[in-house]
Amino acid sequence: MGYACPVCDTPQRDGEHLAHHLAFTAMLHGGDHESWLDDHASDWSEREPAELAAEVTPHAEDAEYEEVFEDTVARGRPDVGMGSGGADPSAHGGHDHCHAHGGDPSPGAGVPDPDAVDDPAVAEAIREARELTREAAADDADAEDAEAEDSDSAGDAPDRDA
């Protein structure tokens, strides 16, 4: 049993999670969450999570919060309607095979397929994140190549101290 957010009804595990949800949503998006906090805990941005939780939980309704454990779902996360992005965990003994054996995960591992996402805005955000990741990886590879060339050419330089 947990608490439903008094603004958007999203279930939260406990009072501190509710406090975090309200505060982070208010800081990132403002809007109704920020207005609600301003009305019910005007100094919300100055409070510790436990202190804010004590203030907001009396205003929240009890809600079912389905507890999910890592060994019960693929990649330790519940499928929240965005596609699981992963294969059957039992295929490799219930663990992420690449990470467990020191390899790199496949590109996009654990990320939902944008075509399987119900919300077009979420699908577009995933596509954009993938593109930014590709660009960052390419930039990193270029930087590593340049660094390797610099160190190779530095090794060919004559020793001036000799």
Side-chain angles (χ1 to χ4, degrees):
M1 188 64 74
Y3 294 100
C5 173
V7 178
C8 67
D9 290 328
T10 302
Q12 301 298 319
R13 171 182 295 195
D14 55 36
E16 286 197 29
H17 281 86
L18 176 61
H20 281 289
H21 164 78
L22 284 163
F24 280 113
T25 306
M27 288 187 292
L28 294 173
H29 304 290
D32 294 339
H33 286 79
E34 184 176 23
S35 297
W36 189 93
L37 279 170
D38 288 342
D39 291 343
H40 293 87
S42 59
D43 61 343
W44 62 269
S45 64
E46 309 298 320
R47 295 188 186 198
E48 293 295 318
E51 187 182 4
L52 183 58
E55 185 73 26
V56 299
T57 54
H59 302 284
E61 293 184 24
D62 290 341
E64 285 293 321
Y65 181 85
E66 187 175 327
E67 200 64 41
V68 179
F69 299 95
E70 288 185 19
D71 63 344
T72 63
V73 293
R75 294 199 172 31
R77 295 185 304 271
D79 182 357
V80 291
M82 295 186 345
S84 66
D88 177 7
S90 63
H92 294 297
H95 65 273
D96 184 337
H97 193 260
C98 295
H99 284 296
H101 300 290
D104 289 330
S106 61
V111 178
D113 179 1
D115 296 329
V117 176
D118 299 333
D119 185 338
V122 172
E124 182 56 32
I126 292 170
R127 286 186 190 95
E128 185 175 333
R130 285 184 173 176
E131 181 58 30
L132 290 171
T133 301
R134 279 188 209 103
E135 290 172 8
D139 290 347
D140 287 348
D142 291 345
E144 286 177 13
D145 289 346
E147 188 175 305
E149 286 179 23
D150 288 347
S151 66
D152 286 346
S153 63
D156 295 338
D159 188 3
R160 295 180 190 188
D161 293 335

